[in-house]
């Protein structure tokens, strides 16, 4: 495990965005005050969530948001990334909550950075249907018209890769489909939704628009050509499939031929220029040729029939989730993106980075964040244009299929009483931000 060296962190550029991230379904609760989402349907099915929990109450942020904004102000972040729940916006009066939240953030001097889709699709909609992309653009217009007088930075989608792979290919997340490669239209329709959302935002007068994509280096298990080929394929699925339509207006490796509709026309929409590109980074993945049996990553079963297998990254500390701690993977990823995409890559913002650990005296989290900030600074020094960094997450929250078992917060939440208690990492990050000025 990397440890906090105790040395002050290097200075980041003036104007750098310092924030924390959350998402609506994971913290808001008040499920009775919005329509159901695919996640409500999924969590109601026995066995879907490891601890059998739901997000009906979550952190009750819906009612406790003033306390949470006060925590943000005390932390000293200049930005807060949250998500706007589509099924809440679609419910009568639902947008009023975000109106209040944005007002509270502005009054506290914290810049609101909403994500317009973070996986909680309204129940009844389906990303296999092309029309869902158009419906999303309508949702975006409604939100931008209401909040656009105070919101000056926007995110279209969160991690369409995970929503496709976990939710539609492997069945581990909502809506629980196990379509394997037949899930590819879900990727295309989300990407189309992203492009339509960029257009809808700009039509509503919004500027400063990005996407939050999850990325990580893919390391071949060995120099064996079969391992190298499998790792290349995985890299295409996780990284290139979601970056290249957006940045280059093209699908990698002939994948466009497998997508539905008029793909060439759709790619012109998907490639609407972005003001910045959001990267969620957690860890690299070590990938080898198929083993003929299922493999596992952080508790996720990878079926034997896929053309790759996930291998252990040896010699690394693991978070409570079982994810390896590899800070230099962030430098490698960012430098690799710069080399791969050159001037097609807009400025980068790290829209998520964090780890799950138990405990209030969370020295492992401090060490993790410290090491990742140094790795991020190394990328800056290597010439990568990075404009911001958001920790995942402000609060311990509902970690999807893991329920409440994984704690990613700088602030501990007692899930019985909902009491918030800042952890050692909250005080550490506050001091980092003070030192950065
Ligand atoms: O909690 C999630 C978040 O919703 C999306 N990115 C990864 C986080 C940790 O798993």
């Amino acid at each position: 495990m990397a440890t906090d060296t105790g040395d002050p962190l290097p200075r980041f550029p003036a104007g750098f965005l310092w924030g924390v991230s959350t998402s609506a379904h994971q913290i808001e609760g008040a499920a009775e005050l919005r329509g159901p989402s695919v996640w409500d349907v999924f969590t109601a099915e026995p066995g879907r969530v490891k601890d059998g929990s739901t997000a009906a109450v979550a952190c009750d942020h819906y009612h406790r948001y003033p306390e949470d904004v006060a925590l943000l102000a005390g932390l000293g972040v200049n930005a807060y990334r949250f998500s706007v729940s589509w099924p809440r916006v679609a419910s009568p009066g639902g947008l009023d909550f975000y109106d209040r939240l944005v007002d509270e953030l502005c009054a506290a001097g914290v810049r609101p950075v909403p994500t317009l889709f973070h996986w909680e699709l309204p129940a009844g909609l389906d990303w296999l249907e092309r029309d869902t992309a158009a419906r999303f653009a309508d949702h975006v217009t409604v939100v931008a018209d209401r909040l656009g007088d105070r919101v000056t930075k926007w995110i279209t989608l969160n991690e369409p890769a995970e929503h496709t792979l976990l939710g539609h290919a492997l069945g581990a997340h909502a809506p629980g489909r196990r379509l394997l490669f037949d899930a590819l239209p879900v990727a295309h329709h989300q990407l189309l939704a992203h492009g339509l959302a960029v257009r809808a935002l700009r039509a509503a007068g919004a500027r400063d628009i990005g996407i939050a994509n999850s990325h990580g280096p893919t390391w071949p298990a060995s120099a064996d050509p079969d391992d190298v080929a499998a790792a290349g394929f995985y890299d295409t699925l996780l990284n290139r499939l979601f970056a290249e339509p957006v940045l280059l207006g093209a699908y990698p490796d002939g994948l466009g031929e497998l997508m539905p509709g008029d793909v060439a026309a759709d790619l012109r929409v998907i490639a609407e220029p972005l003001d910045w590109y959001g990267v969620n980074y957690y860890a690299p993945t070590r990938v080898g040729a198929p083993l003929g049996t299922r493999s596992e990553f952080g508790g996720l079963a990878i079926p034997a029939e896929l053309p790759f297998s996930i291998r252990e990254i040896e010699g690394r500390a693991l978070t409570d989730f079982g994810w390896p701690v590899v800070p230099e993977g962030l430098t490698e990823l960012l430098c690799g993106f710069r080399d791969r995409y050159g001037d097609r890559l807009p400025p980068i913002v790290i829209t998520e980075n964090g780890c799950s650990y138990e405990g209030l005296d969370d020295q492992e989290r401090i060490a993790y964040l410290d090491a990742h900030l140094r790795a991020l600074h190394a990328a800056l020094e290597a010439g990568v244009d990075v404009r911001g960094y958001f920790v995942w997450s402000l609060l311990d929250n509902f970690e999807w299929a893991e329920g409440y078992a994984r704690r990613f917060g700088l602030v501990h939440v007692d899930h019985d009483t909902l009491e918030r208690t800042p952890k050692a990492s909250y005080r550490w990050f506050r001091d980092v931000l003070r030192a950065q000025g």
Side-chain angles (χ1 to χ4, degrees), residues 78-385:
N78 55 24
Y80 172 52
R81 175 180 171 228
F82 59 98
S83 78
V84 171
S85 160
W86 185 352
R88 194 180 299 289
V89 168
S91 303
L95 244 178
D96 295 353
F97 169 67
Y98 299 105
D99 225 6
R100 296 194 291 274
L101 174 63
V102 165
D103 278 347
E104 191 88 9
L105 289 165
C106 292
V110 178
R111 187 175 182 186
V113 184
T115 306
L116 292 153
F117 178 69
H118 196 124
W119 301 351
E120 71 280 60
L121 189 70
L125 293 187
D126 186 341
W127 283 116
L128 283 172
E129 303 294 333
R130 182 182 177 84
D131 183 53
T132 301
R135 301 281 292 272
F136 179 62
D138 295 341
H139 155 70
V140 169
T141 299
V142 169
V143 178
D145 283 348
R146 181 79 171 268
L147 305 182
D149 55 339
R150 287 150 291 156
V151 169
T152 56
K153 195 173 189 74
W154 299 86
I155 300 173
T156 55
L157 308 182
N158 178 72
E159 296 183 358
E162 271 64 22
H163 194 50
T164 305
L165 298 173
L166 301 180
H168 298 77
L170 300 180
H173 277 191
R177 290 202 174 108
R178 204 172 173 283
L179 298 173
L180 300 181
F181 288 103
D182 289 339
L184 282 173
V186 170
H188 184 70
H189 292 148
Q190 284 183 89
L191 288 165
L192 179 60
H194 156 78
L196 291 172
V198 176
R199 288 188 172 177
L201 284 167
R202 294 216 168 102
R207 298 287 172 270
D208 208 355
I209 301 165
I211 186 171
N213 264 337
S214 57
H215 292 298
T218 304
W219 294 346
S222 77
D224 184 291
D226 289 346
D227 285 341
V228 173
F233 183 74
Y234 184 88
D235 179 45
T236 297
L237 275 189
L238 178 74
N239 294 314
R240 299 178 60 201
L241 174 59
F242 294 90
E244 296 188 7
V246 170
L247 297 176
L248 308 181
Y251 276 110
D253 294 347
L255 281 175
E257 287 160 31
L258 304 177
M259 297 303 187
D262 183 346
V263 176
D266 289 351
L267 281 166
R268 285 194 286 279
V269 179
I270 294 168
E272 277 293 329
L274 287 180
D275 301 292
W276 54 278
Y277 188 84
V279 170
N280 295 358
Y281 172 75
Y282 289 91
T285 316
R286 187 161 168 262
V287 179
L291 292 168
T293 56
R294 67 182 214 176
S295 54
E296 198 176 299
F297 175 72
L300 179 69
I302 309 295
E305 60 262 49
L306 289 177
F308 54 80
S309 58
I310 307 295
R311 310 290 178 84
E312 187 185 338
I313 296 182
E314 286 149 11
R316 296 297 183 142
L318 302 178
T319 68
D320 285 353
F321 213 144
W323 299 354
V325 179
V326 189
E328 72 275 19
L330 179 57
T331 323
E332 178 187 329
L333 174 74
L334 296 178
C335 292
F337 258 56
R338 189 261 326 268
D339 296 346
R340 210 179 238 183
Y341 301 122
D343 59 12
R344 303 295 290 272
L345 184 66
I348 286 180
V349 174
I350 304 302
T351 32
E352 282 182 30
N353 176 235
C355 48
S356 61
Y357 289 109
E358 291 289 320
L360 286 172
D361 186 21
D362 53 343
Q363 297 302 320
E364 301 103 323
R365 179 172 289 104
I366 293 174
Y368 179 102
L369 297 175
D370 179 274
H372 283 76
L373 282 171
R374 288 175 202 278
L376 179 60
H377 198 270
L380 276 164
E381 285 193 324
V384 184
D385 185 358

